[in-house]
Amino acid sequence: MNRAIALVDCNNFYVSCERVFRPDLEGKPVVVLSNNDGCVVSRSQEVKDLGLKMAVPWYQMKDLAKRHGIIALSSNYSLYADISNRVMSLLAQFSPEQEVYSIDESFLDLSGIAVEHAQYAQQMRETVRRCVGIPVCVGVASSKTLAKLANHVAKKNARFSGVCDFNAQTEPELDALFAAIDVGEVWGVGRRSTVRLNAMGIHSVLDLKRTSPKRLRDEFSVVQERIVEELNGTACLELDDVVPDKQQIICSRSFGTLTSLLPDLEQAVVAYASRAAEKLRQQQSLAGGIQVYIRTNPHRERDPQYQQAVLMPLPDPTDDTRLLCQAALHGLQRIYRAGYAYQKAGVMLTEIIPSSARPRTLFDDVEAMQKSHALMRTLDRINRNMGSGTIRLLGEGTDKAWAMRRGNVSKRYTTEWAELAVCAARA
């Protein structure tokens, strides 16, 4: 039986999420900006057709935006994460094996599904569009690398109607497609590798496919050797149906405005440590240490510069938000220096272990641990049901002058009761 791997990728995902609740944005040039409304992180097809690249700073394109009527929206990660979960849950119904690769991409194993795969993939597209409102493209092939490439073809070539099945094409047809695709489009081939490959006379995907795997291994590594084998149909990468637990959890943001005040930094650190603790509990883990760091803006060369970090070991591994925030604040007070305009702070949880692997000692306060577990479980349940941040530590504050700028953020239509979409019926 031939292997059949599908990669389902949401089109212009952040923009598409915004359009679900803003149908007036359909057909209009739209971009979504990064934290503090800095750079472009998602573009509608209309913006791509104007030649605008990713990661362009918004301030550099305001004149262009005015000429072409480009609409800029602030990032709304609560909305995007919730819609992503809905899309992935729907896709899981189409295959017994699924690997959620990113917020907008999912691999599915279709090998045991005895139907025409291109038609089956069209059913996926139709289901996601009808049930969630997100457009997707699907690439099908015998390996993950080829599936990624098939998805690229499905997006770029209108004749495939959003689905490209390499398994249904002949070798000459595939070679013709590969000859027209730059080698840099191959999954796992980065910018530096592209330059080196070009210097070796390898410019297209077809060139790479026909290159000796041993030569690539000698020039690069076993990773490039596997890429060539995957391009030739040999599956070297298996689907990971269980995402491994993170060994480090990082939460950090740049501030909307520079701050020199310790209370502002304390609020930010408590907020970040709280989010990191929530992620820690989601994967049922404990942290043995927490690192805190702060820094000024390195691009403001005339300002005094300062950056520092400190790792705070914990007496016992924990997932209790209160204990993690307490340690983080102690660390912040050790590294804080007055007289600097700080631009960013962050925390990183380290020495992460599964909750089940927590070492037991004769001195454990079992009652206190049970109360902590019950409190954190209740906290997470309320915030999950009523919206993130419904209940939080007082240390986060209420007037967050330091919070990142999001001047054009949309509503949290699916995760906040007060911001649900409102429908009006006319008689």
Side-chain angles (χ1 to χ4, degrees):
M1 180 179 64
N2 291 331
R3 191 82 184 273
I5 301 296
L7 176 68
V8 186
D9 188 5
C10 301
N11 299 348
N12 315 319
F13 182 57
Y14 291 172
V15 170
S16 295
C17 289
E18 299 287 351
R19 284 175 166 172
V20 170
F21 296 95
R22 290 279 309 275
D24 59 300
L25 297 177
E26 290 287 351
K28 296 180 181 178
V30 180
V31 296
V32 173
L33 305 178
S34 63
N35 293 341
N36 291 310
D37 294 343
C39 301
V40 174
V41 293
S42 183
R43 305 161 294 164
S44 68
Q45 188 59 51
E46 295 79 10
V47 173
K48 293 178 182 179
D49 292 341
L50 293 174
L52 183 67
K53 303 297 183 182
M54 284 282 282
V56 175
W58 174 241
Y59 76 88
Q60 292 182 3
M61 55 172 288
K62 286 189 174 180
D63 290 340
L64 179 70
K66 191 173 182 179
R67 287 200 306 272
H68 295 282
I70 298 175
I71 300 168
L73 301 172
S74 302
S75 51
N76 186 344
Y77 296 120
S78 297
L79 176 66
Y80 309 152
D82 185 67
I83 290 184
S84 172
N85 289 336
R86 294 167 188 248
V87 171
M88 300 310 165
S89 296
L90 275 176
L91 292 177
Q93 301 173 16
F94 287 88
S95 171
E97 292 187 58
Q98 177 187 33
E99 176 189 340
V100 178
Y101 179 66
S102 68
I103 193 171
D104 61 347
E105 293 177 286
S106 180
F107 286 105
L108 301 173
D109 192 344
L110 306 184
S111 302
I113 299 175
V115 296
E116 201 273 315
H117 289 146
Q119 181 181 352
Y120 194 60
Q122 290 291 358
Q123 292 179 26
M124 294 183 207
R125 298 182 71 232
E126 182 180 329
T127 300
V128 174
R129 185 72 179 196
R130 183 181 70 253
C131 297
V132 185
I134 298 293
V136 303
C137 285
V138 185
V140 181
S142 57
S143 70
K144 291 172 76 173
T145 302
L146 281 173
K148 288 275 282 188
L149 198 60
N151 188 281
H152 170 79
V153 173
K155 281 187 174 182
K156 298 296 182 180
N157 197 322
R159 74 181 177 90
F160 289 100
S161 301
V163 172
C164 179
D165 183 1
F166 280 174
N167 288 344
Q169 299 183 42
T170 65
E171 195 72 18
E173 289 173 334
L174 288 177
D175 287 349
L177 283 172
F178 292 171
I181 304 174
D182 188 89
V183 69
E185 297 293 344
V186 176
W187 185 36
V189 177
R191 291 182 182 179
R192 293 181 181 179
S193 296
T194 300
V195 173
R196 291 178 62 187
L197 289 170
N198 289 167
M200 296 168 60
I202 302 171
H203 298 277
S204 69
V205 175
L206 183 61
D207 294 335
L208 184 60
K209 176 186 175 184
R210 291 178 172 175
T211 303
S212 164
K214 184 179 183 303
R215 181 189 178 194
L216 267 296
R217 181 170 186 167
D218 293 341
E219 292 287 339
F220 294 89
S221 67
V222 68
V223 174
Q224 294 291 339
E225 179 185 28
R226 288 174 178 170
I227 289 174
V228 175
E229 290 177 351
E230 288 237 332
L231 287 176
N232 282 278
T234 301
C236 302
L237 304 172
E238 296 299 322
L239 259 65
D240 296 324
D241 52 359
V242 177
V243 179
D245 291 338
K246 295 180 179 179
Q247 297 306 302
Q248 294 179 333
I249 295 178
I250 300 172
C251 188
S252 66
R253 295 283 188 276
S254 296
F255 301 145
T257 57
L258 301 180
T259 181
S260 301
L261 303 176
L262 179 59
D264 285 349
L265 293 174
E266 288 176 334
Q267 288 185 7
V269 165
V270 169
Y272 302 155
S274 297
R275 299 294 86 75
E278 186 178 331
K279 295 178 182 179
L280 186 70
R281 293 191 293 272
Q282 285 176 354
Q283 68 175 40
Q284 298 182 359
S285 298
L286 306 172
I290 183 168
Q291 185 186 62
V292 185
Y293 66 90
I294 52 177
R295 70 167 172 81
T296 54
N297 187 343
H299 301 294
R300 294 172 65 104
E301 298 178 357
R302 295 183 180 180
D303 290 356
Q305 296 296 314
Y306 175 76
Q307 64 176 19
Q308 190 58 266
V310 62
L311 176 61
M312 303 296 292
L314 299 166
D316 297 294
T318 185
D319 63 2
D320 191 310
T321 296
R322 299 167 300 171
L323 297 178
L324 291 168
C325 289
Q326 185 180 57
L329 288 175
H330 286 161
L332 173 64
Q333 290 160 5
R334 285 175 55 178
I335 61 176
Y336 170 74
R337 297 292 181 271
Y340 294 95
Y342 294 99
Q343 184 213 20
K344 189 173 186 178
V347 302
M348 178 173 69
L349 303 184
T350 64
E351 301 176 37
I352 293 176
I353 62 172
S355 299
S356 58
R358 183 187 184 277
R360 305 295 180 182
T361 73
L362 293 174
F363 305 101
D364 285 346
D365 188 338
V366 177
E367 183 179 357
M369 291 168 57
Q370 290 174 342
K371 288 182 177 179
S372 168
H373 179 69
L375 178 61
M376 293 301 107
R377 186 172 55 190
T378 301
L379 176 72
D380 291 340
R381 184 173 64 250
I382 292 173
N383 285 334
R384 183 171 57 250
N385 293 337
M386 304 301 294
S388 179
T390 299
I391 294 183
R392 57 186 186 272
L393 296 186
L394 182 61
E396 285 192 39
T398 55
D399 183 19
K400 300 179 181 180
W402 48 270
M404 67 178 181
R405 292 190 304 272
R406 294 199 297 173
N408 297 306
V409 67
S410 54
K411 293 182 178 180
R412 294 165 291 179
Y413 297 103
T414 62
T415 59
E416 180 63 43
W417 286 107
E419 298 179 13
L420 292 177
V422 177
C423 297
R426 295 182 179 178

